[in-house]
């Protein structure tokens, strides 16, 4: 079934993308839709994106350094 774009703004955006990609409007719309669907399918929930970072932090050695005022004063040169 054919797609008829009746929204002028959508038509302008399709024309702009087609011009930049050096394709016709139909191909530009197809590529844009495929790209959005791929990004949507590849999007991971925040918890899944954070899991590798959490594992990396958990693997760091515990050096028993006390993070108190004296520690930060020493880092800043005693100021």
């Amino acid at each position: 079934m054919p797609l008829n774009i009746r929204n002028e703004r959508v038509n302008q955006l399709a024309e702009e993308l087609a011009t930049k990609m050096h394709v016709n409007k139909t191909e530009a719309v197809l590529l844009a839709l495929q790209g959005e669907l791929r990004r949507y399918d590849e999007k991971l929930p925040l918890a899944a994106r954070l899991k590798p970072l959490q594992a990396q932090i958990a693997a760091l050695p515990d050096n028993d350094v006390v993070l108190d005022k004296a520690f930060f004063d020493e880092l800043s040169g005693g100021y």
Side-chain angles (χ1 to χ4, degrees):
M1 175 175 247
L3 173 67
N4 294 316
I5 300 174
R6 296 177 189 259
N7 180 297
E8 187 55 36
R9 180 68 179 134
V10 174
N11 191 42
Q12 289 171 349
L13 289 170
E15 184 65 42
E16 182 180 345
L17 183 60
T19 300
K20 288 181 179 186
M21 296 181 79
H22 305 288
V23 297
N24 62 40
K25 280 197 291 188
T26 301
E27 185 69 16
V29 170
L30 174 64
L31 293 171
L33 292 171
Q34 287 174 334
E36 272 310 301
L37 286 169
R38 184 177 53 255
R39 278 188 290 280
Y40 182 83
D41 290 340
E42 292 172 353
K43 190 183 338 182
L44 292 174
L46 179 60
R49 293 193 317 259
L50 289 176
K51 194 167 273 202
L53 180 59
Q54 290 171 326
Q56 185 179 2
I57 291 169
L60 293 174
D62 184 11
N63 59 9
D64 295 325
V65 173
V66 178
L67 301 178
D68 59 2
K69 184 178 182 321
F71 172 81
F72 288 105
D73 286 347
E74 184 180 331
L75 281 180
S76 66
Y79 296 105

